[in-house]
Every structure is written in structure tokens, then in C-alpha cells.
């Protein structure tokens, strides 16, 4: 069965390849504006589904996978930073604290079936120094990541611990996705 990943993220591509090598990448064009007042967990699932639906329009005969990841602290979403200053402010807000990473997943099958879920992972940052912050910002990594960090890259140096699914923080809940694809006979 044909599988389409509705994302241009190299991390999601890498993670999906842990389940199957047989997939196509089709970055989704979906409006990612959050609905005011909607629960953030519902929003990551909704956005995941929108992405999968966008891919399914181009690939109606495929199993389409959409995912969305959001960093939240104090019940507020931290998206991708606008610039380095915004990234620094986000990282200072996370420093020495525990925050939540929500990752939505939607798997749509050609017969109209849909499986969705939201994972929640707590990530605790160390109380890192301003010098460490400047070093991390200099890598350029924070600028294209929700919450201004990547757990799998240099951002790992800022993290004290996690409670939950590491792969969800990277952007794709691998084990649940593997189960969903097996149910559709689309993966090993």
C-alpha cells in the first residue's frame, strides 16, 4: 500500500523510515492558524489531520500521514521563533522549568478511514547559563523549531530530562504510528 508523509521535515522522514522505507514525501499546504480558545491538544490533532487531508487530495489512493508538534508552557503555545531574539526569549522562558510537548498524529486511509491521537511529553530544561544560550543560538538550530529547540540536536545539551515519548518531541510518535500502519497492512 502506498504511504505518503504530509511533511517536508527531515526529522519526520527519518523517523518514518524506522517503520518503513516505502513512502513518498508530500509537504502539506495547510493553514496552521490556531483557533482561539480551542484546547491545544485538540489543535495539534486538527492540524495533523488538515495536513494529511491536503496530501490525500493529491494522493487519494494512499495512506496519508500528518503530524504537528507544539511546545507549550503555562498553557500557551510556543511556535517557531520569528528571529533569534524571539528564540532567545522562548528559551529563557523554558530555562529551569518543565514544559509540555504535544504531538498530533493523523493517519488517513484511501477508504475514508481516519486514526488520530495526541501524545503529551514533559520536557525539563536545565538552568543553563546565558553563555550556553548564546552558544546554542549560534548554531542556528532554534530558528526552525517549535519552542526554539530540537531535542535530537544541540538542544539536547539544554535538557535535564523527559517524561514521555522522545520521538514525539522530535515530531513523530513512532510506536503508535507503527501500530496504526500495521492495522492498515501498510507496514511490517
Amino acid at each position: 500500500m502506498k504511504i505518503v508523509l504530509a511533511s517536508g521535515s527531515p526529522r519526520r522522514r527519518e523517523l518514518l523510515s524506522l517503520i518503513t522505507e516505502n513512502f513518498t514525501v508530500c509537504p502539506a499546504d495547510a493553514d496552521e492558524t490556531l483557533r482561539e480558545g480551542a484546547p491545544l491538544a485538540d489543535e495539534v490533532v486538527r492540524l495533523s489531520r488538515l495536513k494529511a487531508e491536503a496530501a490525500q487530495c493529491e494522493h487519494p489512493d494512499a495512506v496519508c500521514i500528518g503530524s504537528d508538534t507544539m511546545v507549550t508552557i503555562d498553557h500557551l503555545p510556543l511556535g517557531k521563533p520569528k528571529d533569534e531574539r524571539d528564540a532567545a526569549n522562548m528559551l529563557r522562558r523554558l530555562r529551569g522549568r518543565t514544559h509540555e510537548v504535544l504531538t498530533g498524529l493523523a493517519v488517513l486511509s484511501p477508504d475514508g478511514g481516519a486514526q488520530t491521537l495526541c501524545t503529551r511529553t514533559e520536557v525539563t530544561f536545565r538552568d543553563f547559563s546565558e553563555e550556553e544560550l548564546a552558544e546554542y543560538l549560534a548554531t542556528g538550530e532554534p530558528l526552525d523549531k517549535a519552542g526554539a529547540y530540537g531535542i535530537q540536536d544541540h538542544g539536547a545539551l539544554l535538557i535535564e530530562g523527559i517524561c514521555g515519548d522522545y520521538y514525539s518531541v522530535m515530531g513523530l510518535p513512532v510506536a503508535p504510528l507503527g501500530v496504526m500502519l500495521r492495522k492498515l497492512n501498510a507496514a511490517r
Side-chain angles (χ1 to χ4, degrees):
M1 187 174 289
K2 183 177 175 183
I3 298 173
V4 174
L5 176 63
S7 174
S9 163
R11 291 168 302 285
R12 288 192 178 112
R13 196 174 316 135
E14 173 189 343
L15 294 175
L16 182 53
S17 71
L18 295 173
I19 301 168
T20 180
E21 292 291 331
N22 181 30
F23 65 91
T24 303
V25 172
C26 178
D29 184 20
D31 179 4
E32 296 190 44
T33 305
L34 298 177
R35 295 177 300 182
E36 192 172 326
L40 297 176
D42 293 349
E43 287 296 278
V44 294
V45 171
R46 183 182 66 82
L47 294 174
S48 299
R49 187 168 180 140
L50 283 176
K51 292 174 184 181
E53 288 170 349
Q56 198 168 50
C57 286
E58 293 182 43
H59 303 275
D61 61 331
V63 171
C64 295
I65 302 165
S67 188
D68 191 74
T69 300
M70 181 185 302
V71 173
T72 70
I73 191 159
D74 302 325
H75 306 289
L76 298 172
L78 297 182
K80 292 180 182 178
K82 294 185 262 326
D83 53 29
E84 190 173 293
R85 182 178 179 190
D86 192 30
N89 288 337
M90 285 184 192
L91 292 166
R92 284 186 186 105
R93 185 172 195 164
L94 298 173
R95 177 171 49 198
R97 298 183 64 197
T98 298
H99 62 276
E100 191 171 58
V101 178
L102 304 172
T103 297
L105 178 65
V107 177
L108 306 182
S109 55
D111 65 4
Q115 300 175 72
T116 61
L117 65 80
C118 175
T119 63
R120 297 171 184 268
T121 304
E122 289 184 347
V123 179
T124 303
F125 269 27
R126 295 185 306 103
D127 188 13
F128 50 85
S129 69
E130 283 295 306
E131 181 181 339
E132 290 172 296
L133 174 62
E135 289 169 1
Y136 183 50
L137 291 169
T139 67
E141 281 177 17
L143 296 179
D144 74 335
K145 295 183 176 53
Y149 75 94
I151 194 169
Q152 72 281 1
D153 295 315
H154 293 94
L157 298 171
L158 307 178
I159 296 170
E160 185 173 284
I162 72 167
C163 182
D165 183 13
Y166 173 83
Y167 294 114
S168 289
V169 179
M170 278 182 70
L172 195 67
V174 174
L177 177 56
V179 171
M180 289 176 173
L181 293 176
R182 276 189 213 86
K183 283 182 184 175
L184 296 171
N185 293 319
R188 322 172 205 159

